[in-house]
Structures are given as C-alpha cells and as structure tokens.
Amino acid sequence: MSEVLDVVIVGGGLVGGLTALLLAQGGVQPTVLDAAPVLDVEKTLSVMNPRVLALSQATIHLLKTVNVWDDLARQMPYTGMQVWNLNGYGEINFGHESIQRPMPEQALGSMVEPSVLNVAIQQKMLEQLTDYRTQVRVTRIEQGVGCWHIQLADGTTLKTKLLIGADGANSFVREQAFIDLDVLDYKQAAISCAIKTAKPHHYVARQIFLPTGPLAYLPMASLEETENGYWQSIVWTLPDDYADEYSALNDTAFMQLLTQESQHMLGEVLDVRSRAQFPLKARAAKQYVKAGLALIGDAAHVIHPLAGQGVNIGCLDAAVLCDVLLHDLSRGVWAHDQTLMRYEHRRKGQNDAMMHSMSVIGWLESSELFPIVWARNMGLKQVEQIPVLKDKFMQQANGLGALQSTRYRH
C-alpha cells in the first residue's frame, strides 16, 4: 500500500507557498507540487518586473510570520493613496506624501514585484519543506475512498487526505474536482507596464477614474537607486476595443497618450517598459471545499483589479485555512469536513461581497448618467470629510480584521 500523505498543495506561488510555510510552521509538512522551475535568483532579480502587487498590512504581517518579508530583494512602501474622478469634484486621500523613504510602521502597505516575491517564497520553501517538487505537471486527479489520487506526468501517483488547490485562475484542481465556476466578463482589458515619470511619486498610490475606466499609478522600486521615486507600475482598465487600440501604439505615441490621459499628474511620461494586456473577468467558485479538498486564492476567486485586493484576499484564505486545520489538529483531527466548511463559511461570503462591490464601483465610476455622476461625487466628498468612514475603508483595505480571530492576529 502506498503512503497516504497528510496534505498536498498544487501550486507554489505566493498563496500556495504561504500556505505551505504556515503549515510547516505549525508542525505539518506538506507536499508541494509546483509547475515552475527553481528560479535563477540573480537573473530573476536583475530584471524589473513591470507589474507590482499592492500588499496590505495583513499580507505583510503573514509574510513576516513565515520569515519571508525580510528576504525580499526590494519593495516600495507607500504612505498615501489618492483617488479621484476626472469628471467630478469628489476626491479621497488616505495617508500622506513622504519626501523620504518611510519606515515600515509608517506605511499603509507595500508594492512588490511578483518575481521578487516568488524568489523569496521559493527559497524559503527549499529551506524549510521536506517535499517541495518543482517542474511538476499534474495530469489527473480523482477522489478515492477517504483520500484523493493525484497522477503526475512522470507516472507517479500520490494519495493525500487533503488536497489544496492553489493553482490559479485556470485551476486544474478545481476542474478535476468538478467544482462549477461563475464568470462575469467585464468586456474590459487591463494594460500593465512600468513607466518613468518626470515627477517623483512621493510614496503615494494614485488612481484616477476616466470615462473609459480607472488608471492607477503604483509606486515601484527601481533597480537604480538614483531613479527610485520616479518609476511606477500602471494598471489601465479599458474597454476591449480601446485596449487593443492603445496596445498597438508605438512607445512614443503610448507615452504621449498616457501623459495626456493621466492629466499630467506626475508630469511627462519619459520611459515605458514591458507593456502587456490581459482580459478582465471575475470568477467565483460555487464552492471552496469538498470532502478532503479546499481551493484558495485565484483558484477560488478572481476579482476586478480596481482595488488591488486579489492577492491579499488570497493570503487571507491561506491564513484562515491553516488556522482551522491546525486548531483541529491540536484536538487530534485532520481535514474533517466540518473543519473545511468552517474555512468556506469564513471566507466565501467576504470574498463574494468584495467581488460584487468592485463590479458595482467599476460600473458607477464609468457611468455618465447625471444622477450617478452627482451621487458618486457626493459620495467621495462625504467619505473624505467624515473620518469614521475613512477609517472603515482603511480597516477593510488593511485586512487585519480578518486575522483577528486567528492565531495570526496582528
């Protein structure tokens, strides 16, 4: 009889890796099946990734918990957020500008390139996990009696009491488990790239709502110390036809257009690198768990990038799942159906609410109907003027409230 493993995690990215490290820290050694190869650290870090992840205080706290945060080669803290609408007078400001690089305790969060995170997470897994497998392709997953059977491309078959799907938006685990998916096609695409601006960002993340959709300027760390403060990662949400048209422009024309459409908010755009376009679709798994199986991160949900919360709610999934599993383990129980249902109950409602609210905000901000324009302007103005409302927004954004009932509370 082949051994039945306690837990197998399919996916070794940020959410899957965080889950593995939290479990290992709690005394459970998972088997991690990662499709990616072992990264060349020097080569990976020598290239500036055009995209950044806006990490919340909760996500940073979790990365510190597993001793990954201090290993990041670079990151860019931000102390302020500014949100406004081009065709209106409403504006919200959170935090403040900083001339000098802020201390960690002063930051609202931090912008980190996915490649930088992946290197740090992978290196920590190589150090701490006894069964971390790279360049692994899963070809078949079947539910057996009391366990799941996982077949690999090399002919190996694994059995596990608990299978965790952390394998992204097009999750093979979700597909093989016959878990249905609700999909909302926004008929939009996002253009992402790195840009250099004439004026420094002063550690503020900015988002302007244009008639075509939101344009976000996100501070990012530069490879050159002298250029720090002038590089941003942008996420420009556009209708599909606009995105196709803008993506086809040469770099010079694109920079001119971006300077104009951004209302020169940081002066002229001087350089652009690594433009990419990706379609925007919201996805929500109809269930997060089955007997002996759990979905986390993008395998369970994908939301609009409007608030930059996708990766953060995935990390909260990891924390809540590990918390309920380790709590029951201390009582001699592992991956019980009721344990997994507690995870789903604590995460699915919150994640679905976040997904739908981002969809509604996106629609409200793109509408040109006068009553809606008036209402959103008044709404922004009211939030800006009422400290209690601003505090509520910040509490939701920092994610720390979701950790308060777990062993990982701040």
Side-chain angles (χ1 to χ4, degrees), residues 26-78:
V28 178
Q29 274 288 341
T31 293
V32 176
L33 306 179
D34 192 350
V38 174
L39 299 171
D40 182 319
V41 176
E42 188 175 338
K43 182 178 179 181
T44 303
L45 297 179
S46 68
V47 178
M48 189 167 64
N49 195 304
R51 193 167 149 255
V52 294
L53 301 173
L55 302 188
S56 67
Q57 291 177 4
T59 297
I60 293 170
H61 173 66
L62 290 169
L63 291 171
K64 288 179 178 178
T65 300
V66 294
N67 300 311
V68 166
W69 182 252
D70 290 338
D71 292 344
L72 295 181
R74 57 182 177 267
Q75 46 92 9
M76 179 59 70
Y78 62 96

Short mmCIF file of all heavy atoms in Angstrom, two decimals, residues 26-78:
data_model
loop_
_atom_site.label_atom_id
_atom_site.label_comp_id
_atom_site.label_asym_id
_atom_site.label_seq_id
_atom_site.Cartn_x
_atom_site.Cartn_y
_atom_site.Cartn_z
N GLY A 26 3.43 25.15 11.72
CA GLY A 26 2.52 24.55 12.68
C GLY A 26 2.75 23.07 12.91
O GLY A 26 1.96 22.43 13.61
N GLY A 27 3.81 22.53 12.29
CA GLY A 27 4.16 21.13 12.53
C GLY A 27 3.66 20.15 11.50
O GLY A 27 3.79 18.93 11.68
N VAL A 28 3.09 20.63 10.39
CA VAL A 28 2.60 19.75 9.32
C VAL A 28 3.45 19.98 8.08
O VAL A 28 3.46 21.08 7.52
CB VAL A 28 1.12 20.03 8.99
CG1 VAL A 28 0.66 19.13 7.84
CG2 VAL A 28 0.24 19.82 10.21
N GLN A 29 4.17 18.96 7.64
CA GLN A 29 5.00 19.08 6.45
C GLN A 29 4.17 18.73 5.20
O GLN A 29 3.81 17.57 5.00
CB GLN A 29 6.22 18.16 6.55
CG GLN A 29 7.39 18.79 7.29
CD GLN A 29 8.07 19.89 6.48
OE1 GLN A 29 7.93 19.99 5.26
NE2 GLN A 29 8.84 20.73 7.17
N PRO A 30 3.84 19.73 4.37
CA PRO A 30 3.06 19.44 3.16
C PRO A 30 3.94 18.99 2.01
O PRO A 30 5.15 19.24 2.00
CB PRO A 30 2.43 20.79 2.84
CG PRO A 30 3.47 21.77 3.28
CD PRO A 30 4.14 21.16 4.49
N THR A 31 3.34 18.31 1.06
CA THR A 31 3.97 18.08 -0.24
C THR A 31 3.48 19.17 -1.18
O THR A 31 2.27 19.38 -1.32
CB THR A 31 3.60 16.70 -0.80
OG1 THR A 31 4.18 15.69 0.02
CG2 THR A 31 4.09 16.54 -2.23
N VAL A 32 4.41 19.91 -1.79
CA VAL A 32 4.04 21.00 -2.69
C VAL A 32 4.43 20.61 -4.12
O VAL A 32 5.58 20.25 -4.38
CB VAL A 32 4.73 22.32 -2.30
CG1 VAL A 32 4.41 23.42 -3.32
CG2 VAL A 32 4.30 22.75 -0.91
N LEU A 33 3.46 20.69 -5.02
CA LEU A 33 3.68 20.38 -6.44
C LEU A 33 3.64 21.70 -7.21
O LEU A 33 2.58 22.32 -7.35
CB LEU A 33 2.60 19.43 -6.95
CG LEU A 33 2.41 18.13 -6.15
CD1 LEU A 33 1.28 17.29 -6.76
CD2 LEU A 33 3.71 17.33 -6.09
N ASP A 34 4.79 22.13 -7.67
CA ASP A 34 4.93 23.44 -8.32
C ASP A 34 5.28 23.24 -9.79
O ASP A 34 6.24 22.52 -10.12
CB ASP A 34 6.05 24.21 -7.61
CG ASP A 34 6.09 25.68 -7.99
OD1 ASP A 34 5.38 26.08 -8.93
OD2 ASP A 34 6.84 26.44 -7.33
N ALA A 35 4.52 23.86 -10.67
CA ALA A 35 4.79 23.74 -12.10
C ALA A 35 6.04 24.52 -12.51
O ALA A 35 6.66 24.21 -13.52
CB ALA A 35 3.59 24.22 -12.90
N ALA A 36 6.41 25.51 -11.72
CA ALA A 36 7.56 26.37 -12.06
C ALA A 36 8.88 25.67 -11.75
O ALA A 36 8.95 24.82 -10.87
CB ALA A 36 7.48 27.69 -11.30
N PRO A 37 9.93 26.06 -12.45
CA PRO A 37 11.26 25.52 -12.13
C PRO A 37 11.86 26.26 -10.94
O PRO A 37 11.30 27.27 -10.47
CB PRO A 37 12.06 25.82 -13.41
CG PRO A 37 11.43 27.08 -13.93
CD PRO A 37 9.97 26.98 -13.60
N VAL A 38 13.00 25.78 -10.45
CA VAL A 38 13.75 26.54 -9.45
C VAL A 38 14.30 27.79 -10.14
O VAL A 38 14.96 27.71 -11.17
CB VAL A 38 14.89 25.71 -8.85
CG1 VAL A 38 15.74 26.56 -7.92
CG2 VAL A 38 14.34 24.50 -8.09
N LEU A 39 13.96 28.94 -9.59
CA LEU A 39 14.32 30.21 -10.23
C LEU A 39 15.80 30.53 -10.06
O LEU A 39 16.38 30.27 -9.00
CB LEU A 39 13.47 31.34 -9.64
CG LEU A 39 11.95 31.20 -9.83
CD1 LEU A 39 11.22 32.25 -9.01
CD2 LEU A 39 11.58 31.32 -11.30
N ASP A 40 16.37 31.10 -11.10
CA ASP A 40 17.73 31.63 -11.02
C ASP A 40 17.62 32.98 -10.30
O ASP A 40 17.12 33.96 -10.86
CB ASP A 40 18.29 31.82 -12.43
CG ASP A 40 19.74 32.33 -12.43
OD1 ASP A 40 20.05 33.21 -11.62
OD2 ASP A 40 20.53 31.84 -13.26
N VAL A 41 18.07 33.02 -9.05
CA VAL A 41 17.84 34.19 -8.20
C VAL A 41 18.43 35.45 -8.82
O VAL A 41 17.76 36.48 -8.99
CB VAL A 41 18.39 33.96 -6.78
CG1 VAL A 41 18.25 35.22 -5.94
CG2 VAL A 41 17.69 32.79 -6.11
N GLU A 42 19.70 35.38 -9.18
CA GLU A 42 20.39 36.57 -9.71
C GLU A 42 19.75 37.06 -11.00
O GLU A 42 19.52 38.27 -11.18
CB GLU A 42 21.87 36.25 -9.94
CG GLU A 42 22.70 37.47 -10.30
CD GLU A 42 24.19 37.15 -10.39
OE1 GLU A 42 24.64 36.14 -9.81
OE2 GLU A 42 24.90 37.92 -11.06
N LYS A 43 19.45 36.14 -11.89
CA LYS A 43 18.84 36.51 -13.18
C LYS A 43 17.45 37.09 -12.98
O LYS A 43 17.09 38.09 -13.61
CB LYS A 43 18.78 35.27 -14.08
CG LYS A 43 18.23 35.55 -15.47
CD LYS A 43 18.24 34.29 -16.31
CE LYS A 43 17.67 34.54 -17.70
NZ LYS A 43 17.64 33.29 -18.52
N THR A 44 16.66 36.48 -12.11
CA THR A 44 15.29 36.95 -11.89
C THR A 44 15.28 38.35 -11.29
O THR A 44 14.50 39.21 -11.71
CB THR A 44 14.54 35.98 -10.94
OG1 THR A 44 14.56 34.67 -11.51
CG2 THR A 44 13.10 36.42 -10.73
N LEU A 45 16.16 38.59 -10.34
CA LEU A 45 16.16 39.88 -9.65
C LEU A 45 16.82 40.99 -10.46
O LEU A 45 16.66 42.17 -10.13
CB LEU A 45 16.86 39.75 -8.29
CG LEU A 45 16.19 38.81 -7.28
CD1 LEU A 45 17.00 38.76 -6.00
CD2 LEU A 45 14.75 39.22 -7.01
N SER A 46 17.54 40.62 -11.51
CA SER A 46 18.23 41.63 -12.31
C SER A 46 17.29 42.32 -13.30
O SER A 46 17.68 43.29 -13.97
CB SER A 46 19.39 41.00 -13.09
OG SER A 46 18.89 40.10 -14.08
N VAL A 47 16.06 41.83 -13.40
CA VAL A 47 15.08 42.40 -14.33
C VAL A 47 13.95 43.04 -13.52
O VAL A 47 13.40 42.42 -12.60
CB VAL A 47 14.50 41.31 -15.25
CG1 VAL A 47 13.44 41.90 -16.17
CG2 VAL A 47 15.61 40.65 -16.07
N MET A 48 13.60 44.28 -13.87
CA MET A 48 12.50 44.96 -13.19
C MET A 48 11.18 44.49 -13.80
O MET A 48 10.92 44.67 -14.99
CB MET A 48 12.64 46.48 -13.35
CG MET A 48 11.67 47.27 -12.50
SD MET A 48 12.11 49.04 -12.41
CE MET A 48 11.92 49.54 -14.12
N ASN A 49 10.35 43.86 -12.99
CA ASN A 49 9.06 43.37 -13.45
C ASN A 49 8.12 44.56 -13.63
O ASN A 49 8.02 45.40 -12.73
CB ASN A 49 8.50 42.40 -12.40
CG ASN A 49 7.35 41.57 -12.92
OD1 ASN A 49 6.36 42.11 -13.39
ND2 ASN A 49 7.47 40.26 -12.84
N PRO A 50 7.41 44.66 -14.76
CA PRO A 50 6.56 45.84 -14.98
C PRO A 50 5.32 45.87 -14.11
O PRO A 50 4.64 46.89 -14.02
CB PRO A 50 6.17 45.70 -16.45
CG PRO A 50 6.25 44.24 -16.73
CD PRO A 50 7.39 43.74 -15.91
N ARG A 51 5.00 44.75 -13.46
CA ARG A 51 3.79 44.67 -12.66
C ARG A 51 4.15 44.61 -11.19
O ARG A 51 5.19 44.06 -10.82
CB ARG A 51 3.02 43.40 -13.07
CG ARG A 51 1.61 43.32 -12.55
CD ARG A 51 0.85 42.22 -13.26
NE ARG A 51 -0.14 41.65 -12.34
CZ ARG A 51 -0.03 40.48 -11.74
NH1 ARG A 51 1.03 39.73 -11.97
NH2 ARG A 51 -0.96 40.04 -10.92
N VAL A 52 3.29 45.17 -10.32
CA VAL A 52 3.51 45.06 -8.89
C VAL A 52 2.23 44.58 -8.22
O VAL A 52 1.12 44.75 -8.76
CB VAL A 52 3.94 46.40 -8.24
CG1 VAL A 52 5.31 46.82 -8.73
CG2 VAL A 52 2.90 47.50 -8.47
N LEU A 53 2.39 43.98 -7.06
CA LEU A 53 1.26 43.60 -6.22
C LEU A 53 1.21 44.58 -5.06
O LEU A 53 2.23 44.84 -4.40
CB LEU A 53 1.44 42.17 -5.70
CG LEU A 53 1.56 41.09 -6.78
CD1 LEU A 53 1.90 39.75 -6.14
CD2 LEU A 53 0.27 40.98 -7.59
N ALA A 54 0.02 45.12 -4.79
CA ALA A 54 -0.16 46.04 -3.67
C ALA A 54 -0.46 45.21 -2.43
O ALA A 54 -1.59 44.76 -2.23
CB ALA A 54 -1.30 47.01 -3.96
N LEU A 55 0.55 44.99 -1.61
CA LEU A 55 0.39 44.13 -0.44
C LEU A 55 -0.15 44.93 0.74
O LEU A 55 0.36 45.99 1.09
CB LEU A 55 1.72 43.48 -0.07
CG LEU A 55 2.39 42.64 -1.15
CD1 LEU A 55 3.59 41.90 -0.56
CD2 LEU A 55 1.42 41.64 -1.78
N SER A 56 -1.20 44.39 1.36
CA SER A 56 -1.81 45.03 2.52
C SER A 56 -0.98 44.77 3.76
O SER A 56 -0.06 43.94 3.77
CB SER A 56 -3.23 44.48 2.73
OG SER A 56 -3.16 43.11 3.11
N GLN A 57 -1.33 45.45 4.84
CA GLN A 57 -0.64 45.24 6.11
C GLN A 57 -0.82 43.80 6.59
O GLN A 57 0.10 43.22 7.18
CB GLN A 57 -1.17 46.23 7.16
CG GLN A 57 -0.78 47.67 6.88
CD GLN A 57 -1.36 48.64 7.88
OE1 GLN A 57 -2.00 48.26 8.84
NE2 GLN A 57 -1.15 49.92 7.64
N ALA A 58 -2.00 43.22 6.33
CA ALA A 58 -2.23 41.83 6.75
C ALA A 58 -1.32 40.87 6.00
O ALA A 58 -0.73 39.95 6.60
CB ALA A 58 -3.69 41.45 6.53
N THR A 59 -1.18 41.06 4.69
CA THR A 59 -0.31 40.19 3.90
C THR A 59 1.14 40.33 4.33
O THR A 59 1.87 39.34 4.47
CB THR A 59 -0.46 40.50 2.40
OG1 THR A 59 -1.80 40.22 1.99
CG2 THR A 59 0.50 39.67 1.56
N ILE A 60 1.57 41.57 4.57
CA ILE A 60 2.94 41.79 5.05
C ILE A 60 3.16 41.10 6.39
O ILE A 60 4.20 40.46 6.62
CB ILE A 60 3.23 43.31 5.14
CG1 ILE A 60 3.25 43.93 3.74
CG2 ILE A 60 4.55 43.57 5.86
CD1 ILE A 60 3.27 45.45 3.74
N HIS A 61 2.17 41.20 7.28
CA HIS A 61 2.27 40.54 8.59
C HIS A 61 2.42 39.02 8.43
O HIS A 61 3.23 38.39 9.12
CB HIS A 61 1.02 40.86 9.41
CG HIS A 61 0.93 40.11 10.69
ND1 HIS A 61 1.82 40.30 11.74
CD2 HIS A 61 0.06 39.13 11.09
CE1 HIS A 61 1.49 39.47 12.73
NE2 HIS A 61 0.44 38.77 12.37
N LEU A 62 1.66 38.43 7.50
CA LEU A 62 1.75 36.98 7.28
C LEU A 62 3.12 36.60 6.71
O LEU A 62 3.69 35.57 7.08
CB LEU A 62 0.63 36.52 6.35
CG LEU A 62 -0.78 36.57 6.94
CD1 LEU A 62 -1.83 36.36 5.86
CD2 LEU A 62 -0.94 35.52 8.05
N LEU A 63 3.65 37.42 5.80
CA LEU A 63 4.97 37.15 5.23
C LEU A 63 6.06 37.28 6.30
O LEU A 63 7.06 36.55 6.28
CB LEU A 63 5.25 38.07 4.05
CG LEU A 63 4.41 37.82 2.80
CD1 LEU A 63 4.61 38.92 1.78
CD2 LEU A 63 4.73 36.46 2.19
N LYS A 64 5.88 38.20 7.24
CA LYS A 64 6.81 38.29 8.37
C LYS A 64 6.69 37.07 9.26
O LYS A 64 7.71 36.58 9.79
CB LYS A 64 6.52 39.56 9.17
CG LYS A 64 6.93 40.84 8.48
CD LYS A 64 6.60 42.06 9.33
CE LYS A 64 7.06 43.35 8.65
NZ LYS A 64 6.68 44.56 9.45
N THR A 65 5.48 36.56 9.41
CA THR A 65 5.25 35.39 10.26
C THR A 65 6.04 34.18 9.80
O THR A 65 6.54 33.40 10.61
CB THR A 65 3.74 35.06 10.30
OG1 THR A 65 3.02 36.18 10.84
CG2 THR A 65 3.46 33.83 11.16
N VAL A 66 6.17 34.02 8.46
CA VAL A 66 6.91 32.88 7.92
C VAL A 66 8.33 33.27 7.52
O VAL A 66 9.00 32.55 6.78
CB VAL A 66 6.16 32.24 6.72
CG1 VAL A 66 4.85 31.62 7.17
CG2 VAL A 66 5.92 33.25 5.60
N ASN A 67 8.79 34.44 8.00
CA ASN A 67 10.18 34.89 7.81
C ASN A 67 10.57 35.06 6.34
O ASN A 67 11.71 34.79 5.95
CB ASN A 67 11.15 33.91 8.49
CG ASN A 67 10.88 33.80 9.99
OD1 ASN A 67 10.77 34.81 10.67
ND2 ASN A 67 10.77 32.57 10.48
N VAL A 68 9.61 35.53 5.55
CA VAL A 68 9.88 35.80 4.13
C VAL A 68 10.10 37.29 3.89
O VAL A 68 10.92 37.68 3.04
CB VAL A 68 8.73 35.27 3.23
CG1 VAL A 68 8.82 35.84 1.82
CG2 VAL A 68 8.75 33.75 3.19
N TRP A 69 9.40 38.14 4.62
CA TRP A 69 9.39 39.57 4.32
C TRP A 69 10.79 40.17 4.28
O TRP A 69 11.14 40.91 3.36
CB TRP A 69 8.53 40.31 5.33
CG TRP A 69 8.42 41.78 5.05
CD1 TRP A 69 8.98 42.80 5.73
CD2 TRP A 69 7.73 42.38 3.94
NE1 TRP A 69 8.69 44.00 5.15
CE2 TRP A 69 7.92 43.78 4.04
CE3 TRP A 69 6.97 41.88 2.89
CZ2 TRP A 69 7.37 44.67 3.13
CZ3 TRP A 69 6.43 42.78 1.97
CH2 TRP A 69 6.64 44.14 2.10
N ASP A 70 11.60 39.87 5.26
CA ASP A 70 12.94 40.47 5.33
C ASP A 70 13.88 39.93 4.25
O ASP A 70 14.98 40.49 4.05
CB ASP A 70 13.56 40.23 6.71
CG ASP A 70 12.87 41.05 7.80
OD1 ASP A 70 12.23 42.05 7.45
OD2 ASP A 70 12.96 40.66 8.98
N ASP A 71 13.47 38.87 3.56
CA ASP A 71 14.30 38.31 2.48
C ASP A 71 14.00 38.92 1.12
O ASP A 71 14.67 38.59 0.13
CB ASP A 71 14.09 36.79 2.39
CG ASP A 71 14.65 36.05 3.60
OD1 ASP A 71 15.45 36.65 4.35
OD2 ASP A 71 14.27 34.88 3.82
N LEU A 72 12.99 39.79 1.04
CA LEU A 72 12.66 40.40 -0.25
C LEU A 72 13.79 41.30 -0.72
O LEU A 72 14.29 42.14 0.04
CB LEU A 72 11.36 41.21 -0.15
CG LEU A 72 10.07 40.45 0.16
CD1 LEU A 72 8.90 41.42 0.19
CD2 LEU A 72 9.83 39.35 -0.86
N ALA A 73 14.19 41.12 -1.96
CA ALA A 73 15.31 41.90 -2.50
C ALA A 73 14.97 43.37 -2.61
O ALA A 73 15.84 44.23 -2.45
CB ALA A 73 15.70 41.35 -3.88
N ARG A 74 13.71 43.69 -2.91
CA ARG A 74 13.29 45.09 -2.99
C ARG A 74 11.76 45.16 -2.87
O ARG A 74 11.05 44.23 -3.24
CB ARG A 74 13.76 45.74 -4.30
CG ARG A 74 13.30 45.04 -5.57
CD ARG A 74 13.84 45.71 -6.82
NE ARG A 74 13.45 45.00 -8.03
CZ ARG A 74 14.19 44.05 -8.61
NH1 ARG A 74 15.35 43.70 -8.09
NH2 ARG A 74 13.76 43.45 -9.72
N GLN A 75 11.31 46.28 -2.37
CA GLN A 75 9.88 46.57 -2.28
C GLN A 75 9.74 48.07 -2.09
O GLN A 75 10.69 48.74 -1.72
CB GLN A 75 9.22 45.78 -1.14
CG GLN A 75 9.96 45.79 0.19
CD GLN A 75 9.54 46.90 1.14
OE1 GLN A 75 8.57 47.61 0.88
NE2 GLN A 75 10.28 47.07 2.21
N MET A 76 8.57 48.59 -2.38
CA MET A 76 8.34 50.03 -2.29
C MET A 76 7.16 50.31 -1.38
O MET A 76 6.00 50.09 -1.75
CB MET A 76 8.07 50.61 -3.69
CG MET A 76 7.80 52.11 -3.72
SD MET A 76 9.16 53.10 -3.04
CE MET A 76 10.43 52.88 -4.29
N PRO A 77 7.42 50.79 -0.15
CA PRO A 77 6.32 51.13 0.75
C PRO A 77 5.57 52.35 0.23
O PRO A 77 6.13 53.19 -0.48
CB PRO A 77 7.03 51.44 2.07
CG PRO A 77 8.40 51.88 1.66
CD PRO A 77 8.74 51.10 0.42
N TYR A 78 4.30 52.44 0.57
CA TYR A 78 3.55 53.65 0.23
C TYR A 78 2.83 54.16 1.47
O TYR A 78 2.35 53.38 2.29
CB TYR A 78 2.59 53.42 -0.94
CG TYR A 78 1.50 52.39 -0.70
CD1 TYR A 78 0.23 52.76 -0.27
CD2 TYR A 78 1.75 51.03 -0.92
CE1 TYR A 78 -0.76 51.82 -0.06
CE2 TYR A 78 0.76 50.09 -0.71
CZ TYR A 78 -0.50 50.49 -0.28
OH TYR A 78 -1.48 49.55 -0.07
#
